[in-house]
């Protein structure tokens, strides 16, 4: 983005981030069924029975200042007993929220009283905390699977009916790193095509 380009609004940046997350949810699902075994578990996640949707699993990993929880229906970062809101992405709504609950929601069951969708600085900051873990995980994945794995995941995702592929993995990670460093300066994830 040059000095004369307008900076995108926080809501626009969060839409780009949400599009990236929608694709990444599929990638994490592929990691669970990897031929060498469940890569989420290999990375240190605890696999647990879902408290919400039947027949599904939930994955949780402790971090220094909280924990990450992944499920096919949602993904989030939840701080340890600080009273601060967490970050929650709900797949069916294709939306990110500040989450005010003391425990993660049961996947598929979300209390609107605990969700705040205000696309302000708080939501942006919580998304970046989640993203710090996500970027670290993707570095690890590249090391254990090789450079072509995420590209193969992206190609498979693009072939699915009703899928909405985002950027290819290398370009997507470049944008996510810029977004993590400085969301406003990151610019839009995808340049608009000229007619």
């Amino acid at each position: 983005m040059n000095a004369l380009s307008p900076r995108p609004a926080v809501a626009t940046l969060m839409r780009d981030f949400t599009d990236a997350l929608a694709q990444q949810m599929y990638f994490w699902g592929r990691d669970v069924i990897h031929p060498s075994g469940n890569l989420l578990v290999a990375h240190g996640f605890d696999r647990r029975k879902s408290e919400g949707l039947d027949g599904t699993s939930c994955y949780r990993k402790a971090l220094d200042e909280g924990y990450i929880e992944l499920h096919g229906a949602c993904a989030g970062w939840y701080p340890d007993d600080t009273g601060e809101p967490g970050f929650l992405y709900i797949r069916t709504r294709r939306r990110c929220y500040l989450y005010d609950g003391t425990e993660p929601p049961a996947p598929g069951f979300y209390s609107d009283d605990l969700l705040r969708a205000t696309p302000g600085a708080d939501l942006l900051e919580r998304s970046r905390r989640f993203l710090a873990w996500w970027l670290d995980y993707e570095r690890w994945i590249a090391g254990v699977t090789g450079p072509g794995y995420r590209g193969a995941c992206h190609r498979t995702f693009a072939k699915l009916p009703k899928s909405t592929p985002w950027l290819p993995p290398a370009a997507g990670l470049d944008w996510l790193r810029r977004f993590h460093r400085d969301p406003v300066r990151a610019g839009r994830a995808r340049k608009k095509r000229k007619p």
Side-chain angles (χ1 to χ4, degrees):
M1 175 170 6
N2 66 42
L4 299 176
S5 298
R7 292 191 175 167
V10 171
T12 301
L13 291 168
M14 287 308 299
R15 273 195 306 274
D16 287 343
F17 182 76
T18 299
D19 289 345
L21 199 42
Q23 176 172 282
Q24 187 68 30
M25 294 285 285
Y26 176 80
F27 291 175
W28 289 323
R30 300 304 297 175
D31 296 349
V32 167
I33 60 169
H34 192 271
S36 69
N38 186 325
L39 297 177
L40 290 178
V41 171
H43 191 259
F45 277 85
D46 293 324
R47 182 180 178 188
R48 308 155 40 137
K49 184 180 182 306
S50 173
E51 296 295 323
L53 303 172
D54 289 335
T56 62
S57 296
C58 194
Y59 294 88
R60 185 181 283 193
K61 182 172 182 168
L63 303 174
D64 288 340
E65 53 184 28
Y67 55 94
I68 296 290
E69 193 167 278
L70 303 176
H71 185 278
C74 58
W77 169 80
Y78 307 94
D80 286 330
D81 301 324
T82 61
E84 294 181 22
F87 168 82
L88 176 66
Y89 168 75
I90 300 175
R91 189 177 196 171
T92 56
R93 297 183 187 186
R94 291 186 64 99
R95 194 156 190 190
C96 297
Y97 298 91
L98 290 174
Y99 179 71
D100 289 321
T102 56
E103 287 293 320
F109 301 92
Y110 312 104
S111 171
D112 288 334
D113 294 345
L114 299 175
L115 303 175
R116 289 187 281 145
T118 306
D122 286 345
L123 183 58
L124 195 64
E125 182 57 32
R126 295 305 183 276
S127 72
R128 290 174 66 217
R129 288 185 185 184
F130 180 83
L131 180 56
W133 165 81
W134 177 2
L135 290 170
D136 182 62
Y137 177 79
E138 286 301 305
R139 278 189 292 277
W140 179 82
I141 278 290
V144 298
T145 62
Y149 174 66
R150 277 294 184 242
C153 292
H154 186 261
R155 287 187 298 278
T156 303
F157 183 59
K159 292 176 186 175
L160 294 175
K162 299 183 182 179
S163 71
T164 308
W166 190 60
L167 298 174
L173 281 173
D174 285 345
W175 184 82
L176 288 167
R177 286 183 197 107
R178 289 192 313 269
F179 179 84
H180 185 254
R181 279 191 304 271
D182 187 343
V184 175
R185 290 186 184 269
R188 294 299 312 274
R190 196 184 300 232
K191 300 259 187 209
K192 292 188 178 189
R193 295 188 176 116
K194 293 181 181 179

